[in-house]
Amino acid sequence: MFSLAESSLSNPSLRAWIRATAEHTRPSNIRVCDGSENERAAIERDMVGAGALVELDPKLHPRSFLHRSDPTDVARTEHLTFISTKHEEDVGPTNNWMSRQDAEKRVWSLFAGCMHGRTMYVVPYLMGPVDSPHSRVGVEITDSPYVVLSLRIMTRMGKEALARLRNSEGFVRGTHSLGDLSPERRFVVHFPDTLEIWSIGSGYGGNALLSKKCHSLRIASVQAKKEGWLAEHMLILGLTNPLGETHYVAAAFPSACGKTNLAMLVPNLPGWKVDTVGDDICWMYPGEDGRLWAINPENGMFGVAPGTSLKTNPNAMRSLTHDVIFTNVALRANRNVWWEGMSKVDDHEVMQDWRGDTWTKSDAQAPAAHPNSRFTVPLAQCPSASDSFNAGSGVPISAIIFGGRRAKLAPLVYEARNWQHGVYVGATMVSETTAAATGAVGIPRNDPMAMLPFCGYNMGDYFAHWLAVGQQLRHPPKIFHVNWFRTGNDGRFLWPGFGDNVRVLKWILERVDGAVTAREAPIGLLPHTDGIDLSGMDFPEERLFELLAVDGSAWMQEAGRTLEFLGRFGNRLPHGLLTELRSLLNRLQLSLH
Ligand code: SAT
Ligand code: MN
């Protein structure tokens, strides 16, 4: 049953690990994935046969499918996500810790016989461009064919990964099983010291595609700290101005706050162009030239569907014409997909909602598509995919943007005074929770660098690491903060967002180039009111005042919240951040007198 003889696997430690995992999980057979078209077609056929995939109309969406996950399993489960290290203080106050011993007792035991009657897939994958020295190999063992098909899109999967791995032992080992899908027996545990991940009881994206948040952020952030680089929850885009000059920008926003939209925006300013290098994860390295260089370790996008339309994100919509896996969206009678915000539908059109139940708009009790429904698609299918997406060296980063979803307080954009202040701005980010994780939505929470759920070690040490990386850079990127989500007194968004966000990016690049001056405010540097190009837009100037307003006393209160949050890191908090908090308080006090 566990014979690997027919497979081309020569790596002894990989073979030993597969054998040991199979002995414990007892699958009925083992399949080592090569990433081929035949393999993909066979898995799709099996899944359609078993009712696990619905094939969409091949004329509307060739080779595309709808997958419905278990209704209790539709988002990341942060309270069931653990980091296992020798010492609890090494994971810090923002992570859940579990000892190895406990993990073996509580989690590994759940894997015993869990693959009985199932196929065990062995999925070698490469994170990063094929010829990049920064790329890393992982192997995920899983009993979910949905995970296999998704990894084939999201990573360079199969032969390329094995070719890179050769006989090395230095790969990340992810063991995943759907288990019984019970939330009671659902765990995601990371072991940064041994490069292992165990995930059981969930088939949902970030819990089950172990290459993504588990490997490329939680494990990679620990490797990055040891090795002097940064593994971040950031999109990467290239912005070209009408003179043909391109700058690259990396931007961190929490899950479901518009990274995918920003990464491929179609600018509402003539002559400007955006190229997409990545939409979710970014690995950055100090280069020999003193700049910070970035690669996107991923190969595809796992984007939020609701709200995506030809108006809000035409490049995403055009990426979704073929070879897509949709998860938990609604299904129309013509076997096309639909979600809220995509297009107008007739009040009486009968569809199936994300659970497969009959749904019509006129008597809907709930959305047809789950608010965290997703599309999975190769980045290469995006019309704005950058030529540099496969560049081994990556792209040089001119600006880093931090952004939260905040109805009040944070202005449309401001610039940090220097790297240390920028690290403070990132470390003190606050954003309202979204449907990407289970739990209440719309609650403001501290989410440093949008990494709160993804940093694999003590965030006090993580802030110190950011400060240290800055010291190595002779030409550090400038750091900014943006907020597309500020609302007026009527509760409506003040800024239209989407294609108009290029107006803010334009100011950011003008600051990078030293082409415009800025206005000093206690929180940082803000645009003059004529600094944001509003040409071709019907936008009252008073609204821009409101968007750029800095309310000193509200920021004082915010500083109290910040102090409380940073205080949680105790003596792991680097002094530099306290210095920044103190200077901010001084500046706020002066401004209030
Ligand atoms: O489910 S994922 O973690 O991959 C998506 C997200 O929450 O950012
Ligand atoms: Mn994300």
Side-chain angles (χ1 to χ4, degrees), residues 122-185:
V122 178
V123 192
Y125 62 83
L126 178 68
M127 299 316 291
V130 172
D131 64 355
S132 176
H134 306 303
S135 298
R136 305 276 164 123
V137 175
V139 180
E140 177 166 349
I141 289 179
T142 179
D143 56 13
S144 160
Y146 166 78
V147 165
V148 179
L149 294 180
S150 302
L151 287 177
R152 191 177 182 278
I153 296 173
M154 295 304 298
T155 72
R156 282 99 173 159
M157 184 267 252
K159 286 212 170 81
E160 282 166 330
L162 284 181
R164 176 72 176 247
L165 180 63
R166 291 207 206 92
N167 279 341
S168 155
E169 292 182 7
F171 60 95
V172 170
R173 292 150 206 242
T175 309
H176 169 254
S177 172
L178 296 170
D180 62 5
L181 286 177
S182 160
E184 308 298 309
R185 286 174 289 282

Side-chain angles (χ1 to χ4, degrees), residues 102 139 172 259 337 383 418 452 457 572:
D102 263 6
V139 180
V172 170
K259 279 196 301 299
V337 287
N418 52 44
L452 182 76
Y457 62 102
R572 305 289 270 251

